[in-house]
Amino acid sequence: MPNPTQPFILIVDDNPTNLSVLSKALKASGYKVRMAVDGEDALAQVQRHHPDLILLDIEMPKIDGFETCSRLQANQATKGIPIIFMTAIADTENKVKGLSLGAVDYITKPFEEAEVLARVQVHWRLKRLSDTLEQQVNERTQALQEAQVQLVQQEKLSALGQLVAGVAHEINNPVGCIVGNVSVAQDYINDLLSIIDLYHEKFPQPGAEIEEALEASDLDYVREDLPKLVSSMKDAGDRIKSISKSLSSFSRADSDTKKPFNLHEGINSTILILRHRLKANENRSAIEIVTDYGKIPEIACFPGQLNQVFMNIIANAIDALDESELRIDTENQAVPHRITIKTQLIDKWVQIAIADNGKGISEEVKAKIFDHLFTTKAIGKGTGLGLAIARQIVVEKHGGIIQVNSELGEGTEFIITLPLSSSFLNYNC
């Protein structure tokens, strides 16, 4: 393997004298040199190790220089290697043909050693500048994409968090009033019923009018049903308070440091927010959510960001089921649309698997699914940033892993694996 700081030059010529002269001159100038005696030999050597520059003779047996150059330029892996043609035929037509095939220069035989070294040095420097510029462009492009993903993530999370937090706050006050007064109302009702019982005891014959009113109101049924009614109202109020708490949990703002977080609470709050999308519609039946929660500890993380990951993946699963056709099992029964969420502790990692039984995705889509701006959705229905954001949060913000498994017709599974190294020992089920 050549020294990376020592340019590697491949000389291709069927004349041993030319090979020897050029090789000695280039080695004396600090270049690493290899030689090939024809086009086939050159192509084979290039496949084994890419040179930094090629000196290529035109007139050779079997595969001439033009054909060799054409094949190198047709290969994406080798088209960037500078090629300098060497030829005794210096007419304009051949020069134009060589340059049009992708060569960068010509050296005319018989060649001067100083000219060869000067041209090699110039094109080696140009290649280094080109490679450096390309690397800088790629780095800047990647940095801009990451910055864009992060800005979109923060904006979406901030907007959603403000909305959800505002709704939760507006719910809290009236619901707190209702739940707080239900117990008082229950005491008042018990007092009124006691007074009615006392009147009945002291005035066993209240008169026909009161008897008719008592019979019409079915006091015995009211006495039996009213406590149940009040209890149901209290349960409903407690449920709304629980929903409000889940909304607040989902929308919690992240600080600059990680905080302990119960992942199950985050998943449940996400399901709650998306519940309206799980209901049956004109295109499909209701979507079932099946949870299989293992005993996992709270982990140190950015809760708001992980909630956004859960939101993106579960929302995508719902989208996939919206587009899936009804499936029939072996017993001729309709297969219900289902999203399965499983958590478990594996060594020093927490794993969250979110799977749907939708139509699945192809290998081609699977290879690009986390790419910036990639989406399979129609224009206006997807930005191509949701899973790119999820990957950035899991991998870059939390040092975790996110993977996708899928088969066409069988559904898709996303697996999120988060490190347990800085987790808290407060286990939850």
Side-chain angles (χ1 to χ4, degrees):
M1 182 74 68
N3 186 331
T5 62
Q6 186 181 21
F8 166 33
I9 311 296
L10 177 64
I11 308 171
V12 188
D13 199 317
D14 62 335
N15 187 317
T17 301
N18 290 339
L19 290 175
S20 177
V21 171
L22 288 172
S23 175
K24 288 180 180 179
L26 290 168
K27 286 181 179 178
S29 296
Y31 295 98
K32 177 74 175 181
V33 176
R34 288 186 180 174
M35 295 174 284
V37 296
D38 55 41
E40 288 185 352
D41 186 16
L43 292 172
Q45 289 202 44
V46 169
Q47 290 302 316
R48 289 195 295 271
H49 183 73
H50 294 174
D52 296 301
L53 188 144
I54 299 174
L55 294 174
L56 180 60
D57 187 23
I58 292 179
E59 296 295 329
M60 294 185 297
K62 299 180 182 178
I63 302 176
D64 66 13
F66 289 142
E67 177 63 21
T68 303
C69 179
S70 179
R71 293 191 186 184
L72 289 170
Q73 291 298 309
N75 187 335
Q76 188 65 32
T78 59
K79 66 180 300 183
I81 302 173
I83 297 173
I84 300 176
F85 275 128
M86 302 183 297
T87 180
I89 306 173
D91 61 280
T92 302
E93 182 179 352
N94 276 286
K95 286 185 176 181
V96 170
K97 180 178 180 181
L99 294 171
S100 67
L101 287 173
V104 297
D105 205 349
Y106 260 90
I107 296 175
T108 304
K109 296 179 182 179
F111 41 72
E112 293 290 337
E113 182 178 313
E115 179 187 2
V116 173
L117 292 176
R119 290 181 184 272
V120 167
Q121 185 178 39
V122 167
H123 289 293
W124 160 238
R125 286 178 176 175
L126 288 174
K127 183 178 187 300
R128 282 196 300 172
L129 288 172
S130 176
D131 290 345
T132 301
L133 180 60
E134 183 178 1
Q135 181 181 357
Q136 289 177 346
V137 170
N138 290 337
E139 289 174 354
R140 292 290 178 86
T141 301
Q142 183 177 357
L144 287 172
Q145 289 178 348
E146 290 176 355
Q148 182 186 19
V149 168
Q150 189 168 4
L151 286 172
V152 172
Q153 170 212 335
Q154 291 173 347
E155 182 64 25
K156 289 175 67 176
L157 193 59
S158 175
L160 182 59
Q162 290 176 8
L163 174 63
V164 173
V167 171
H169 177 73
E170 291 300 320
I171 290 174
N172 280 340
N173 289 336
V175 170
C177 178
I178 293 171
V179 173
N181 288 324
V182 164
S183 297
V184 177
Q186 179 70 65
D187 292 338
Y188 290 166
I189 291 168
N190 291 334
D191 290 341
L192 291 173
L193 290 174
S194 297
I195 292 172
I196 291 173
D197 290 340
L198 183 59
Y199 267 96
H200 183 69
E201 180 182 342
K202 298 298 182 181
F203 302 97
Q205 301 297 326
E209 187 176 354
I210 293 178
E211 290 284 358
E212 290 176 3
L214 290 173
E215 186 175 351
S217 65
D218 196 354
L219 184 60
D220 291 337
Y221 175 76
V222 171
R223 186 190 299 274
E224 177 185 354
D225 190 59
L226 192 55
K228 298 178 183 178
L229 180 63
V230 173
S231 178
S232 296
M233 292 169 61
K234 186 176 185 304
D235 290 343
D238 290 338
R239 173 62 179 157
I240 296 174
K241 287 181 66 177
S242 175
I243 292 173
S244 178
K245 181 180 177 182
S246 294
L247 292 174
S248 298
S249 173
F250 180 87
S251 64
R252 60 192 292 184
D254 287 331
S255 64
D256 294 334
T257 58
K258 295 180 180 179
K259 296 180 178 180
F261 182 54
N262 184 328
L263 292 176
H264 295 160
E265 287 185 4
I267 295 170
N268 289 338
S269 64
T270 304
I271 295 171
L272 178 69
I273 291 172
L274 293 171
R275 178 173 292 178
H276 67 285
R277 294 197 56 198
L278 302 174
K279 297 177 181 178
N281 57 39
E282 63 275 10
N283 298 318
R284 59 158 175 77
S285 59
I287 298 174
E288 297 180 6
I289 297 287
V290 178
T291 56
D292 180 9
Y293 290 161
K295 189 176 182 180
I296 62 175
E298 291 184 337
I299 71 167
C301 64
F302 299 107
Q305 294 184 24
L306 284 184
N307 283 338
Q308 188 176 5
V309 173
F310 301 146
M311 172 70 76
N312 287 336
I313 293 177
I314 296 174
N316 279 348
I318 295 172
D319 291 340
L321 293 171
D322 283 342
E323 299 171 2
S324 298
E325 297 180 357
L326 182 66
R327 290 159 56 188
I328 305 299
D329 63 17
T330 54
E331 298 179 358
N332 204 32
Q333 299 292 320
V335 177
H337 296 289
R338 182 180 294 115
I339 296 173
T340 303
I341 304 172
K342 181 179 180 180
T343 64
Q344 59 181 326
L345 191 63
I346 302 177
D347 294 329
K348 296 182 179 180
W349 299 82
V350 173
Q351 188 178 89
I352 307 103
I354 303 173
D356 65 70
N357 62 344
K359 62 181 182 180
I361 56 177
S362 66
E363 290 296 323
E364 181 181 2
V365 171
K366 189 161 61 173
K368 301 177 182 178
I369 201 162
F370 296 112
D371 288 356
H372 181 262
L373 296 180
F374 177 77
T375 180
T376 58
K377 297 176 183 177
I379 295 175
K381 293 188 176 181
T383 63
L385 291 174
L387 291 176
I389 289 173
R391 181 193 173 282
Q392 186 181 73
I393 291 172
V394 172
V395 177
E396 298 179 19
K397 297 291 187 180
H398 292 86
I401 303 167
I402 183 168
Q403 301 165 290
V404 58
N405 299 320
S406 184
E407 290 185 24
L408 287 175
E410 297 297 326
T412 302
E413 178 184 46
F414 285 89
I415 300 176
I416 302 163
T417 309
L418 300 170
L420 198 63
S421 56
S422 54
S423 297
F424 295 78
L425 298 179
N426 181 13
Y427 280 77
N428 53 83
C429 297

